[in-house]
Amino acid sequence: MSDIATRVNTWIDENWDMSMTLREWWSRLATAGYSQPTWPAALGGCDASGATARIISETLGTRGVIAAPTGMGPHMAAPMIMKHGTDAQKAELIKIATGEQHWCQLFSEPEAGSDLASVRCKAVRDGEEYIINGQKVWNSGADAADRGLLLARTDFEAQKHAGVSFILIDMLQPGVEVRPLVTMNGSAHFCEVFLTDARARANELMGTEGGGWAVATTVLGLERKMAASGSARGALTVNGGPKGGNLDRTVGELFEIAKEKAKEKPQAMISSSRVLIKHAQKAGVNTDPVLRDDLVKYYIRSEVYRLTNLRARHTGGSGPEASIAKIALSGMARHSRDLGMSILGAGGMLVGNDSASGGALQYAALSTGGVSIGGGTDEIQKNVIGERALGLPKEPS
Ligand SMILES: Cc1cc2nc3c(=O)[nH]c(=O)nc-3n(C[C@H](O)[C@H](O)[C@H](O)COP(=O)(O)OP(=O)(O)OC[C@H]3O[C@@H](n4cnc5c(N)ncnc54)[C@H](O)[C@@H]3O)c2cc1C
């Protein structure tokens, strides 16, 4: 075991206690520098390299503790603020490391998805504030968020990329209405958000007015990287922020809640080879040579994805490496869907507890589309690879 893993293990022995609140656990993690290890010490990190950070997060994962705050706050908002923010904005990042804030991304609109620079949501400067009107859609976790990364148009005359501004917005205000959207897998993973005379402080503008596209490009790269890398390490990941309602629960209580939730509904959007093999054994089809061959191919594919993703993370990459990993993940999701349905046969048409798999393989099958669309579709990832890695001509805008 490496020195750092030994140190983290000893620290967990001394600090993990099922009766403490989540707020206390995350505060201890941040004080120790293990919340977001690559960040500076004052902000909940310990200036660790990527390799050391991975050892820290893997050690936390294997010890069965609640993961450090994860999601759009640590992986998108914070690195973007480190790059584009003012010193005052950077000083606030400790709230992300301690899970006091929970962020969402307000980019997509009904008429602006892949072609994001077409956003029509309008922000008008009014003294020390912006007044914002418009509609956003497909916003993951917006119903649990207290802070939003908003892309809005401040100039309707300028060429489309030049009229866009990037603003940080408080979600918990009367002008922001969030409506969860239920998708075909039965989850309300994302929301539509209506902004009606919503307000944002002018000092929460990122970069310059009309200069938001450069900031958005940073966030899109970070999003690709996050979407490609799958879930965080830890026995359990939990939403922070005031709206999540978890900060003052004990960590023991949170494990109980998660256990009950898992009984209600499957959670995995992609089935691992271990899960698929278990279901093949249960269905008595694990001796079928064609299925066995496909399961081995899937195992190899999962390993290739894991290594591709490690490469993307190693390069710190939010560019073409992350796009390659994201495409590899979409391919895995489709393969897992097809294998799951082959294993279940006609039983694949049943969902929930009526099904032999408890609905897990069906849930993953119905989630496949979301994996390849969220974080930028496969076609958009291919455009990124073509333009940025292969030097092919840019698409006309
Ligand atoms: C699970 C999930 C989570 C999401 N979370 C968020 C979120 O938190 N915040 C947020 O703002 N949005 C979010 N989205 C929205 C997501 O970013 C958009 O759905 C995505 O960018 C595609 O946009 P669209 O749906 O408008 O499809 P369109 O852009 O209309 O695309 C339709 C089809 O055309 C193809 N296409 C479009 N343009 C090109 C091109 N130039 N070249 C080749 N093919 C092209 C696409 O690949 C796709 O197949 C999420 C989506 C999903 C599925």
Side-chain angles (χ1 to χ4, degrees):
M1 191 183 288
S2 69
D3 283 356
I4 179 72
T6 308
R7 227 179 309 143
V8 176
N9 268 312
T10 309
W11 181 86
I12 294 172
D13 289 339
E14 289 164 359
N15 285 278
W16 176 250
D17 168 6
M18 285 294 233
S19 66
M20 76 184 148
T21 62
L22 180 66
R23 192 187 294 281
E24 174 63 21
W25 168 236
W26 278 349
S27 158
R28 286 185 193 190
L29 271 177
T31 306
Y34 298 151
S35 172
Q36 310 296 327
T38 55
W39 297 9
L43 300 177
C46 54
D47 295 294
S49 66
T52 303
R54 263 193 300 285
I55 297 173
I56 294 172
S57 97
E58 277 165 16
T59 310
L60 291 168
T62 49
R63 286 295 303 272
V65 298
I66 290 184
T70 186
M72 293 185 188
H75 297 297
M76 287 162 55
M80 178 277 290
I81 291 170
M82 284 182 199
K83 182 167 177 190
H84 299 278
T86 60
D87 286 345
Q89 286 163 338
K90 288 178 195 165
E92 292 277 291
L93 292 179
I94 186 69
K95 293 185 184 162
I96 296 182
T98 55
E100 284 165 75
Q101 291 180 344
H102 191 71
W103 288 73
C104 68
Q105 179 198 29
L106 305 173
F107 278 20
S108 305
E109 297 181 5
E111 299 302 326
S114 303
D115 183 18
L116 194 56
S118 298
V119 287
R120 307 286 302 166
C121 176
K122 185 175 179 181
V124 177
R125 180 82 185 242
D126 178 33
E128 289 310 302
E129 290 184 319
Y130 282 96
I131 301 177
I132 298 147
N133 283 284
Q135 187 197 339
K136 296 289 173 179
V137 73
W138 320 127
N139 312 110
S140 303
D143 50 344
D146 57 303
R147 299 280 285 155
L149 301 165
L150 175 76
L151 204 56
R153 186 161 295 284
T154 40
D155 186 343
F156 279 76
E157 304 301 320
Q159 181 269 342
K160 70 179 182 183
H161 292 81
V164 169
S165 296
F166 198 113
I167 304 170
L168 311 182
I169 185 170
D170 283 330
M171 297 294 288
L172 307 182
Q173 57 167 305
V176 178
E177 186 192 348
V178 181
R179 295 186 198 157
L181 292 167
V182 179
T183 57
M184 65 182 172
N185 67 9
S187 288
H189 167 88
F190 44 39
C191 306
E192 52 186 348
V193 175
F194 297 86
L195 300 137
T196 311
D197 291 334
R199 304 237 159 204
R201 290 174 288 282
N203 64 4
E204 300 238 69
L205 177 76
M206 300 303 302
T208 55
E209 191 173 294
W213 189 249
V215 186
T217 306
T218 300
V219 173
L220 290 171
L222 293 162
E223 184 185 18
R224 275 197 290 279
K225 191 173 160 194
M226 185 177 85
S229 64
S231 52
R233 292 298 183 130
L236 180 62
T237 58
V238 177
N239 279 350
K243 228 180 157 191
N246 293 322
L247 288 172
D248 293 314
R249 291 193 162 120
T250 66
V251 294
E253 200 183 337
L254 289 166
F255 272 105
E256 283 308 311
I257 294 171
K259 224 189 285 167
E260 287 308 308
K261 263 201 196 148
K263 273 190 223 156
E264 278 165 30
K265 200 158 59 68
Q267 309 288 330
M269 293 172 87
I270 303 179
S271 311
S272 66
S273 30
R274 191 178 48 79
V275 165
L276 289 166
I277 290 166
K278 190 186 81 187
H279 284 293
Q281 285 165 340
K282 197 168 157 196
V285 291
N286 56 323
T287 50
D288 176 334
V290 176
L291 183 74
R292 287 169 73 95
D293 187 43
D294 207 12
L295 280 167
V296 171
K297 282 188 189 142
Y298 182 66
Y299 175 76
I300 294 168
R301 181 173 212 150
S302 312
E303 278 301 287
V304 171
Y305 158 72
R306 189 178 66 77
L307 296 170
T308 305
N309 186 40
L310 269 181
R311 180 179 60 175
R313 282 162 56 182
H314 183 69
T315 56
S318 45
E321 297 86 0
S323 292
I324 294 169
K326 172 78 198 340
I327 290 176
L329 187 69
S330 305
M332 236 180 92
R334 286 189 284 270
H335 199 164
S336 124
R337 171 199 63 198
D338 295 346
L339 261 168
M341 292 303 104
S342 305
I343 290 166
L344 295 177
M349 289 184 282
L350 300 172
V351 290
N353 290 332
D354 287 341
S355 139
S357 78
L361 300 184
Q362 290 86 338
Y363 181 84
L366 293 172
S367 304
T368 309
V371 175
S372 62
I373 298 171
T377 65
D378 288 4
E379 289 76 18
I380 295 304
Q381 307 303 339
K382 286 177 188 166
N383 282 349
V384 172
I385 297 166
E387 291 173 15
R388 299 199 204 153
L390 304 178
L392 297 175
K394 274 192 182 301
E395 283 208 322
S397 56

